[in-house]
Amino acid sequence: MQQEGFFITVEGVEGAGKSTNIKVIEEFLSEKNIDYVVTREPGGTLLAEKIRDLLLSHHEEEMEVTTELLLIFAARAQHLNTTIKPKLAEGKWVLCDRFTDATYAYQGAGRGCDSQLIGQLESLVQGSLRPDLTVVFDLDPRIGLARASQRGQLDRIESQNLEFFQRVRQAYQNIASRESARFCVIDSSKTRENVSVILRDALQDKIKEYLNEQ
């Protein structure tokens, strides 16, 4: 019987270093000869990427919170059934830049969406599928937003105010506290080298746990 794949998600506020550290995770998995794919949310498929453009672009008409939430889960449904589930079924590891924890943090805590509604959509779209490991890069939003602004023009989500991102950060911390077995929270205010070492150590521990369970 083929071994099921392993699902890793990466989370954090803007400017927390997700992109940089996803490369570190990729290097780690390659060194371990683990067959993996990298994807992102919203997006990850041709159709879901078009929804991503809708979500992140600035519009003359203000996007309603419920519209934003439903678009995110529409993209997620396409992504899950087109990419994530098939790859996991093949025994591949899936490394995803953001997933449903981001929805609880951004649309839930940030926008004020009812978490029960998010939970209902989560069950509808995902069934029982949840990440095996979620890495959160934790950073003061003031620092994160300053970093993000250096990358160029901010998208519609990045353009929210500081209080919005403070709520997002707190939500990530709360979720990680409740589901500590799944989460690895890393202080990304440290140097890039220090974060890389901590991340690699955490991955090594999690992989040992996973392999011991097989």
Side-chain angles (χ1 to χ4, degrees), residues 45-212:
T45 79
L46 291 173
L47 183 55
E49 287 290 332
K50 291 181 179 180
I51 299 174
R52 178 188 179 89
D53 288 341
L54 272 176
L55 284 162
L56 299 187
S57 298
H58 294 275
H59 305 284
E60 291 182 11
E61 179 182 347
E62 185 175 349
M63 186 179 293
E64 289 292 325
V65 175
T66 305
T67 304
E68 181 175 290
L69 180 64
L70 291 172
L71 283 172
I72 285 169
F73 272 103
R76 183 163 296 139
Q78 187 71 14
H79 187 206
L80 275 167
N81 290 292
T82 306
T83 302
I84 295 176
K85 288 181 179 179
K87 295 302 181 185
L88 290 173
E90 291 171 11
K92 289 184 169 62
W93 288 38
V94 175
L95 174 58
C96 189
D97 182 347
R98 299 201 188 283
F99 196 59
T100 310
D101 293 305
T103 310
Y104 282 103
Y106 280 76
Q107 283 68 48
R111 298 280 196 214
C113 277
D114 184 350
S115 61
Q116 288 189 332
L117 175 58
I118 297 173
Q120 289 170 354
L121 291 168
E122 180 180 31
S123 297
L124 173 68
V125 170
Q126 296 170 223
S128 61
L129 179 65
R130 300 293 183 274
D132 296 293
L133 169 64
T134 298
V135 183
V136 175
F137 293 98
D138 182 56
L139 185 68
D140 184 333
R142 291 182 181 84
I143 300 172
L145 289 173
R147 289 180 182 176
S149 65
Q150 293 173 0
R151 299 195 298 246
Q153 186 176 0
L154 300 177
D155 64 35
R156 193 178 67 86
I157 302 296
E158 292 171 335
S159 300
Q160 304 305 303
N161 60 31
L162 176 62
E163 289 74 21
F164 174 91
F165 290 106
Q166 287 172 333
R167 294 194 297 273
V168 168
R169 183 194 189 191
Q170 186 62 56
Y172 276 131
Q173 292 174 342
N174 292 344
I175 300 167
S177 178
R178 290 197 305 269
E179 301 183 43
S180 57
R182 172 165 69 89
F183 275 80
C184 172
V185 180
I186 295 177
D187 179 359
S188 59
S189 68
K190 297 180 182 296
T191 66
R192 182 176 296 187
E193 292 74 18
N194 284 345
V195 170
S196 177
V197 169
I198 294 166
L199 175 57
R200 282 175 164 270
D201 287 346
L203 290 169
Q204 187 70 48
D205 290 342
K206 288 293 181 181
I207 286 176
K208 280 183 181 178
E209 288 176 17
Y210 174 69
L211 294 177
N212 288 338

